[in-house]
Amino acid sequence: AAYDKVIAEHPYDIVAKNGRAEVLKALNRLDEALDAYDKIIDEYSYEIIPKAGRAEVLKTLNRLDEALDAYDKIIAEHPYDVIAKHGRAEVLKALNRLDKALAAYDKVIAEHPYDIVAKNGRACVLAAMEREDEALLLLPDKNIVTKEEWIGYHIRGMILLRKGELDLATQIFEEGVRDNPRPADRDYFRTALAVAHLHEREYKPASNVLDEITNPMLQIPANILRIHAFGRRGNCERTAEIYKALPSKPGPVLAELQSELHCQYVACETPHHSEDWLIDKEIHYILLAA
């Protein structure tokens, strides 16, 4: 409403228009956000910010090939824009093209050696490639202050969980829920804490943590974990309801996991994989989404 008022009074204010689109994106009103960015780009074809925002929305909508093409075009037009380079690497990560994603992050770090966004992304890719010890060297473990440091701390916890160091991982997740100064970002640690509970077959505590997650951007991973938690508790009606909210055309990282969840906890058929496999895939999915 505040942005709408500014735009009504100042119809050529691009900052307000970008801000309004950002709010739509944060509210998970993604089709409206995409339309808003398209209108800004039509009006201001030379501006980078709405193009990058549009590409990010495409990624969130799982329209990954379109998002990659959008970032490639931005980089071709603005070869020194590091945000677009981050975005391109993120899409490659989401596509599970891990070698290409790693190369993209390496290129950013070569150009910007202190870029913590790229280092966090590179750590995710290394962990997904089972190069956990290399990944941990890139991540903070104390004196966590900035938003990007908290993201890196969350990634560290997920890697420790994957390595089986449950106590250390849980300590990080609980610290993030308690101490992260950004309320919406605490939900990333709640999501991770729910995975830790599932890892220990603690289904009710996992359900309780997931019920606290309100960040619209985390509803897909939260719903994935809810299906697992409620399914193991025998609540088939709830799992079937939640499954309807998942993407109809999931990306490559999510597709196999989503299919197995449907098999086990919606269709109630004989599992194709063990629960340990399921948890490992959930950790992999959340790592690549970090």
Side-chain angles (χ1 to χ4, degrees):
Y3 279 122
D4 282 340
K5 185 176 181 182
V6 173
I7 293 166
E9 295 171 355
H10 307 277
Y12 301 106
D13 189 327
I14 188 173
V15 176
K17 292 178 181 180
N18 279 327
R20 182 179 183 277
E22 282 289 310
V23 172
L24 288 168
K25 183 175 66 176
L27 287 168
N28 214 31
R29 291 162 59 179
L30 299 177
D31 289 330
E32 292 176 74
L34 190 63
D35 182 60
Y37 281 124
D38 282 338
K39 288 177 179 175
I40 298 168
I41 292 165
D42 285 343
E43 199 172 352
Y44 305 92
S45 60
Y46 50 86
E47 289 285 346
I48 301 176
I49 291 174
K51 293 176 185 177
R54 180 181 182 275
E56 188 178 354
V57 172
L58 288 169
K59 175 181 176 290
T60 308
L61 285 165
N62 287 309
R63 292 163 60 178
L64 299 177
D65 289 327
E66 292 177 72
L68 187 61
D69 182 60
Y71 279 123
D72 282 340
K73 286 179 179 176
I74 296 169
I75 293 167
E77 295 170 0
H78 309 277
Y80 301 107
D81 184 71
V82 72
I83 294 173
K85 292 176 183 178
H86 289 156
R88 181 178 183 274
E90 285 289 310
V91 175
L92 289 168
K93 178 158 65 82
L95 284 164
N96 212 31
R97 299 178 189 172
L98 299 182
D99 289 333
K100 290 186 177 181
L102 188 63
Y105 283 122
D106 283 342
K107 186 175 181 182
V108 174
I109 292 168
E111 297 170 356
H112 307 275
Y114 301 104
D115 190 325
I116 190 171
V117 175
K119 289 181 179 180
N120 283 343
R122 186 175 190 273
C124 288
V125 174
L126 287 170
M129 299 171 83
E130 300 185 1
R131 294 163 60 181
E132 289 95 346
D133 291 336
E134 289 179 68
L136 289 171
L137 293 174
L138 295 168
L139 300 168
D141 63 351
K142 57 185 177 180
N143 302 322
I144 311 301
V145 177
T146 69
K147 178 182 178 68
E148 293 304 329
E149 287 170 346
W150 278 107
I151 292 171
Y153 201 45
H154 168 263
I155 296 166
R156 170 175 284 276
M158 291 301 300
I159 294 172
L160 292 173
L161 178 61
R162 188 171 196 175
K163 286 168 63 70
E165 298 182 36
L166 184 70
D167 289 342
L168 286 174
T170 300
Q171 181 180 324
I172 287 173
F173 302 148
E174 290 176 343
E175 186 178 340
V177 171
R178 183 183 65 244
D179 298 336
N180 192 311
R182 300 162 187 83
D185 290 353
R186 292 174 199 157
D187 280 351
Y188 287 89
F189 289 88
R190 290 189 177 97
T191 304
L193 185 58
V195 180
H197 284 307
L198 291 172
H199 187 281
E200 292 302 287
R201 277 51 172 180
E202 297 169 350
Y203 305 114
K204 191 172 191 304
S207 300
N208 292 341
V209 170
L210 291 165
D211 283 343
E212 297 176 18
I213 294 172
T214 58
N215 187 332
M217 301 300 289
L218 285 172
Q219 288 312 303
I220 293 176
N223 281 337
I224 288 288
L225 301 178
R226 287 184 183 113
I227 290 170
H228 187 167
F230 284 115
R232 294 300 295 186
R233 294 173 67 192
N235 192 337
C236 294
E237 184 178 342
R238 183 77 187 274
T239 57
E241 179 185 343
I242 295 169
Y243 191 86
K244 293 176 183 176
L246 295 181
S248 58
K249 296 180 179 179
V253 177
L254 183 56
E256 191 177 21
L257 171 59
Q258 190 169 314
S259 175
E260 183 64 21
L261 287 168
H262 183 273
C263 171
Q264 291 195 30
Y265 305 126
V266 180
C268 299
E269 298 172 350
T270 302
H272 297 120
H273 302 282
S274 68
E275 189 172 15
D276 286 336
W277 179 94
L278 198 59
I279 291 167
D280 185 65
K281 289 294 182 183
E282 288 165 348
I283 293 171
H284 182 82
Y285 167 59
I286 290 171
L287 258 175
L288 289 184

